[in-house]
Amino acid sequence: MTEITAPSLRRLMENDPTLDEVRVSSNYFFDVANEGGFLNSVPSIAYVFPRGAMGWKMAGEIIGNNNSICALAIRVAEIDGGMKNLEAFFNGVNRNNSIDRISFSGWDMGGGAPFLFMASLLENNSNLTVLTVKGSPLGNDGVRLLASALSSTHRLESISINSCSIENGEPFEELVAALNINRVGHDPTLNCLDLCWNNIGRNGCAIL
C-alpha cells in the first residue's frame, strides 16, 4: 500500500460510522487531479490505492470486513499483477454485506473478469441495489460474464451500463434475459435501466 492509504485504511478497519463510500483506484495522481488535490476533503469518502499482490488482497479483506460503508467505486486504468490480483481483491470484498451501490468506471474490464469475481457479491449481498459500469469496453465475453453475474440476483433497482461498446447480438440477448430477472416476475425490483451510448440499435431496443 502507498502511505496515502493509511488514514483511509485505519478508518475502514475501525468501521468508522462517518464513512459512506470507498474509492479504489490504481492511479493516485489521476485521482488527485480529479479531486482538485484534496483527497481528504470529503470525510465520508475513503480513498484506497492498492499496490502489488499483497496490497490488492489486503484492500479486499479490509473492505470485506467493514460493515458501515454503503458505496464502492472502482476506477482502475491498469492493475499491476493483472486479473490474479483483482480476483484476490474480490475474494475479500465478496464478504461485505453493507454495500448497496457498486460502480466501475473508465478502465479495461479484462474481458469482463470483474463480473466473474463479483458474482457471489451480487448473489449474497442482500443490500446491493445499484450497479453502474461506465466507460469500460466489455466485448462479447464481458457482456456474457455480466449477464451471468446479473442472473444470480433479483434485487437490483438500478442498472447503468453506459458507454461500454455493447452491440446487438447473442451476448446482448443473454444480458437482456438476465435483466428480466430483476424487472419481471412476482416481485420485480428494477426501476431504472440505463444503456446509453452503446451500439444496440433499433433491433436491440426492440429486444429490450
Side-chain angles (χ1 to χ4, degrees), residues 1 9 12-15 22 24 48 50 53-67 69 72 85-97 99:
M1 292 286 179
L9 289 178
L12 285 166
M13 292 174 70
E14 295 173 352
N15 277 287
V22 58
V24 179
V48 179
M54 184 59 67
W56 280 99
K57 181 179 179 181
M58 183 185 300
E61 290 178 349
I62 291 173
I63 294 171
N65 291 330
N66 183 282
N67 57 24
I69 56 173
L72 171 62
N85 287 349
L86 186 63
E87 182 178 12
F89 172 74
F90 271 107
N91 283 342
V93 169
N94 284 346
R95 295 198 301 270
N96 183 285
N97 198 44
I99 294 172

Side-chain angles (χ1 to χ4, degrees), residues 68-88:
S68 62
I69 56 173
C70 296
L72 171 62
I74 304 175
R75 180 166 54 194
V76 184
E78 182 178 351
I79 298 176
D80 52 328
M83 292 299 110
K84 185 176 181 179
N85 287 349
L86 186 63
E87 182 178 12

Side-chain angles (χ1 to χ4, degrees), residues 101-181:
R101 307 181 303 277
I102 186 169
S103 67
F104 302 88
S105 63
W107 59 300
D108 183 349
M109 299 297 282
F115 304 126
L116 176 64
F117 302 146
M118 69 175 282
S120 70
L121 181 67
L122 284 170
E123 181 177 3
N124 299 321
N125 186 330
S126 59
N127 292 310
L128 188 61
T129 57
V130 178
L131 173 65
T132 301
V133 185
K134 183 176 182 180
S136 303
L138 296 180
N140 287 337
D141 290 342
V143 174
R144 284 194 165 97
L145 286 174
L146 173 58
S148 177
L150 288 175
S151 66
S152 65
T153 179
H154 54 81
R155 293 179 293 267
L156 291 175
E157 298 175 4
S158 175
I159 299 174
S160 177
I161 311 169
N162 193 307
S163 303
C164 292
S165 303
I166 297 176
E167 298 183 354
N168 184 34
E170 186 176 335
F172 178 67
E173 292 176 5
E174 294 178 18
L175 177 61
V176 172
L179 291 172
N180 282 336
I181 294 175

Side-chain angles (χ1 to χ4, degrees), residues 183-196:
R183 66 177 182 174
V184 299
H186 297 295
D187 187 24
T189 59
L190 188 62
N191 53 47
C192 179
L193 175 62
D194 176 12
L195 293 174
C196 290

